[in-house]
Amino acid sequence: MLNYLLRRMFLLLPVIVGISILTFTLIRLIPGDPVAIMLQDQPHTAEDLSRIRTQWGLDEPLLVQYGRYVRQLVTGDFGRSFMLQQPVLSVILDQLPATIELAVVSLVISLLIALPVGVVSAVRQYSRFDRIGTVIATLGISMPGFWIGLMLIVVFSVKLGWLPASGRIDYVAGLEPITGFYLLDSLLTGNLSALTSTLKHLIMPAMVLGSAMAALTMRMVRSSMLEVAKQDYVVSARAKGLKERAVIVHMLRNALIPTITVLGMQISGLLGGAIVIETIFAWPGTGRLTVQAISSRDYFLLQGIVFFFAITTVFFNLITDIVYGLVDPRIRYS
Amino acid sequence: MTSDKPSSFSGRSGIPAAMTRRTLLQGAAAGAGAAALGGPLQQGVSAQDSPPLIVAQTADIETLDPPMHRARATQNVHQLIYDSLVHRDENLQMVGHLAESWEVVDDVTYRFTIREGATWQDGSPVTAHDVKFSYDRTLDPATQAPRAGLLDMVESTEAVDDRTVEITTKFADPLVMVFLTYHAIVPMNLVTEQGEAFFEHPVGAGPYAFESWQLNEQVVLKANPNYWDGAPLIDTVIIRAIPDPATLVAELESGGVDIVPILPASFYEQVQGNSDLTALTAPGTAVNYVGLNTTMAPFDNVLVRQALNHAIDRDTIIAALLQGLATPISGPFFPEVRGFDPDVAGYAYDVDKAKALLEEAGLGSGFDATLDTVAANKEVSEAMAGMWQEIGVNVTVNTIEPGVMTERTNSGQSQMWFSSWGDSSADAGVTLFRHFHSSQRELFKDTGYSREDLDQIIDEGRATIDLERRAEIFREAHRIVVDDAPWVFLWQPTAFGATRANVQGFVLRPDGYFFLHKVSKG
């Protein structure tokens, strides 16, 4: 196992180099000049443009710029955002807790929906429950998140006045952030009104993300359950008189393997930031940061974000592979 | 999603500016009854005595260091924290802020007297040395300040004594005072002492003191009771960043936000129809236009450009798509601009005339063209394409991301593009120089349009200090540009914002700034 891990880690090196080249070049291939975009709203001259370009090092040959980027990366320096005038890594880390908090809650919601519904749909295949589940899942996959988000805001914020339409917490709740994870912080400081406020702000964006994920996970659980249902060990388990409930638990363990692959992909996607949902709900996370970095062509910030999350995705793929071994004894790493 | 900016902030929309012509229109919603129903923030749970005032913009601030950005949303907040030497009132008249008075010593020398009793939020007095320090810091190449270019007409700043500061400019320019409104003054001693760290928790001389900033969440400000223009009426102000305009309006409707200073016209009816809200409008300080690349056939033919101008029914588009929130314009300026010529008729909607002009240009059977636009202006662009179809011109609407459009127009790749241009100086010199002077073509290929005689007129006007004479010179330029039609001249968008009905004392300024110290909640 240790050998396997070390080998996987070693194989990450070329991947990381590849990612750094790709992010660096692709971002510079997007049409649009960051300096021209920054200056477009106010009177400016050609000298302004060239002065700022020089200050940001954008007038140097691309190879020189790439060389500097790599030298910085090696020392853990992601460079400085020209839009925010701050180190890129600290900006990303500052926005990350909001995104992780939203991702975790969305994931929990999606599993709470997907596992029971997926299992029941498979066990009672073609029943009314299964059919209704299929229709809802299809709707969940095909309805755009921004539309559901806006509808929720109209109903629960504007019409009913139950939930806040956007943001992460009410300032008046008086939370003193410690970790940046507001649920955790409000528990740590024993601030009940902050906890309530955080939950109220979380519920709508997490429902939108969670239900979209649930739709896919549920179909995955259902189809893999149906797959394993035909296997010999299930038949023999039933033949020797095992209770149906116990049979389902045996089935579920094997049915989870493909589901975990899907979940792993969904999690790394969520951590990159749910761009649309974060924008709709004014959620201060990495998805919104990405949009800002793109529209201002903040090369350093954008390549920092892409690099950071590419590495995260690679890392989660590794975790997924390890978790396979835990749920499926047939998989051995050597 | 974020490229769906409302037309008033899309494309090149610049600094919106102010004017005196029309007074503020209040929407139908300002009912005292609604106000009595009381405060938003029903979720409030806490230790505050009075509920905070919540203002929302679509963008968050980028930095707390005044010269280190070129973003309007950031400047709006800096203005509340720091204050500037002078500013303009809601009628665009220059008024003293940290300076109580000033005199123009000669064409290039301005002398300001610092306001008696103006203090930093820590209680120490604002001095002439702070002003000199702030301007010098912005202009110092070592600062690498993006705002340096907005101050580069300043040759030097000298503190004559503690309360007198003298600014010498490189050349005579009546717009110097306007440019000074863009620059915040910072406290010399504290910045020198603390360096960069100062700007993590800055101290200013403005009506509100900085409390905290969480990126993309909120900036929290506390009232400065010693502000020279009176203590703010509300203790706590929260500036939130909400990128999606539909969410902004939902927050207003549900009482989560008290004031939204800028909204897209498309929400006007919704806001007006809600008795909990007050719709505010003011004449805007931008113009919308379609740029025509005069270096490409057939746009190199002035008859074609005039035909395209005559083919647009501006009133119909304004009524049908802009909820009435715009005023047609005859040329490149809105009427409040110095140099606007009221006698220029412009291009009336006249399909027959447009067809005749095309015929005369030898293009009676029409031609194909592509119009670049951004998502927020797609509908309007398609409506115009439909109108050009009437005269046989087949225009394909090409919707692209704003940064891509800037690249395409700057490099002269665009054939036609829908854009907007704002100018808060309300002086024709800025627009004429930027868009129609040959010296700018290296930087902005745009329409490619320029003329030697027009260059001379623009140069002469920009160097003229006498405002009457200056206006007269620019009116000549106005006539030339309208006749040559490098743009399809469209309209002046109306500035539109909204508040909860219980908000009192908020003034929607045409230039887009907001001052909050006289605002209260009923």
Side-chain angles (χ1 to χ4, degrees), chain A residues 30-34 36-56 80 82-86 91 94-95 98 146 150 153-154 156-159 161-174 177 182 193-194 196-197 200-201 275-286 288-289 291-292 294-297, chain B residues 1-3 5 9-15 41-48 51-52 58-63 68-72 75 141 143-150 152 179 182 196 211-218 220 222 236 238 240-244 246-247 249-251 253-254 401-404 406-407 410 421-422 430 433-434 440 442-444:
Chain A
I30 311 174
D33 172 353
I37 289 171
M38 180 179 80
L39 295 179
Q40 68 180 344
D41 276 1
Q42 286 169 323
H44 65 283
T45 58
E47 293 85 66
D48 264 4
L49 228 82
S50 59
R51 178 174 50 80
I52 295 172
R53 237 178 235 144
T54 311
Q55 283 165 359
W56 291 350
R80 204 175 158 84
F82 21 86
M83 173 178 75
L84 297 167
Q85 308 280 339
Q86 285 179 52
V91 175
D94 178 66
Q95 301 285 288
F146 73 87
L150 281 176
I153 290 176
V154 167
F156 291 101
S157 306
V158 179
K159 299 286 177 218
W162 292 351
L163 296 170
S166 68
R168 227 186 136 193
I169 192 167
D170 280 321
Y171 170 74
V172 290
Y182 287 178
S193 64
T196 321
S197 175
K200 278 183 165 177
H201 283 85
I275 289 179
V276 172
I277 296 306
E278 287 192 355
T279 302
I280 299 264
F281 289 99
W283 192 260
T286 49
R288 240 171 106 193
L289 193 66
V291 175
Q292 289 163 321
I294 294 172
S295 43
S296 60
R297 301 291 191 279
Chain B
M1 291 303 302
T2 45
S3 66
K5 291 181 198 162
F9 13 116
S10 67
R12 299 238 159 91
S13 162
I15 311 160
L41 236 120
Q42 55 278 66
Q43 316 100 310
V45 229
S46 84
Q48 309 287 323
T58 47
D60 196 9
I61 63 168
E62 294 176 356
T63 172
M68 299 310 285
H69 71 95
R70 287 291 273 262
R72 198 41 202 274
Q75 201 188 339
T143 310
Q144 303 198 349
R147 274 185 119 61
L150 294 174
D152 63 2
F179 276 86
Y182 302 150
E196 287 241 330
E211 170 89 6
S212 68
W213 173 34
Q214 174 62 41
L215 177 65
N216 284 342
E217 221 171 323
Q218 67 211 356
V220 181
K222 293 284 182 186
T236 308
I238 296 175
R240 290 191 51 196
I242 301 176
D244 188 73
T247 312
V249 173
E251 281 283 17
E253 292 187 310
S254 63
E401 195 265 353
V404 176
T406 305
E407 170 104 353
N410 283 359
W421 170 251
V430 175
F433 186 68
R434 162 65 178 79
Q440 296 295 294
E442 192 193 339
L443 193 52
F444 313 108

Side-chain angles (χ1 to χ4, degrees), chain A residues 186-251:
Chain A
S186 46
L187 289 172
L188 286 175
T189 54
N191 185 338
L192 202 65
S193 64
L195 183 67
T196 321
S197 175
T198 307
L199 282 172
K200 278 183 165 177
H201 283 85
L202 256 170
I203 188 158
M204 286 198 291
M207 280 300 293
V208 177
L209 286 176
S211 57
M213 278 164 66
L216 187 61
T217 315
M218 181 175 110
R219 297 303 290 166
M220 218 52 223
V221 171
R222 179 181 176 275
S223 60
S224 3
M225 281 292 280
L226 289 174
E227 193 119 323
V228 292
K230 293 178 205 130
Q231 301 213 349
D232 293 345
Y233 79 93
V234 178
V235 178
S236 51
R238 287 214 176 93
K240 73 181 188 189
L242 216 57
K243 285 211 176 86
E244 189 58 22
R245 181 173 292 229
V247 177
I248 290 173
V249 172
H250 282 296
M251 287 164 66

Side-chain angles (χ1 to χ4, degrees), chain B residues 434-506:
Chain B
R434 162 65 178 79
H435 288 284
F436 308 115
H437 194 279
S438 63
S439 66
Q440 296 295 294
R441 288 290 162 245
E442 192 193 339
L443 193 52
F444 313 108
K445 293 219 167 31
D446 282 13
T447 58
Y449 166 78
S450 66
R451 283 168 60 144
E452 239 170 73
D453 54 347
L454 183 60
D455 278 359
Q456 279 166 16
I457 294 171
I458 296 172
D459 289 339
E460 190 192 343
R462 274 163 48 92
T464 304
I465 292 283
D466 178 76
L467 297 182
E468 269 312 305
R469 174 77 193 123
R470 190 177 167 97
E472 200 178 302
I473 297 169
F474 285 149
R475 280 197 285 273
E476 174 65 18
H478 183 184
R479 291 188 284 272
I480 293 176
V481 171
V482 171
D483 284 346
D484 286 347
W487 288 357
V488 176
F489 308 106
L490 297 173
W491 45 75
Q492 167 193 22
T494 305
F496 161 48
T499 69
R500 295 286 297 174
N502 64 338
V503 170
Q504 284 133 24
F506 178 76

Side-chain angles (χ1 to χ4, degrees), chain B residues 181-214:
Chain B
T181 68
Y182 302 150
H183 298 279
I185 307 300
V186 296
M188 175 175 74
N189 292 340
L190 292 175
V191 176
T192 323
E193 247 168 64
Q194 302 172 16
E196 287 241 330
F198 171 84
F199 295 103
E200 283 162 28
H201 204 288
V203 172
Y208 282 94
F210 175 78
E211 170 89 6
S212 68
W213 173 34
Q214 174 62 41

Side-chain angles (χ1 to χ4, degrees), chain B residues 70 79 97 126 171 242 261 321 331 335 372 384 396 418 492 504:
Chain B
R70 287 291 273 262
Q79 185 66 41
H97 269 222
V126 176
F171 45 85
I242 301 176
L321 296 175
D372 288 343
M384 287 191 292
T396 310
F418 182 93
Q492 167 193 22
Q504 284 133 24

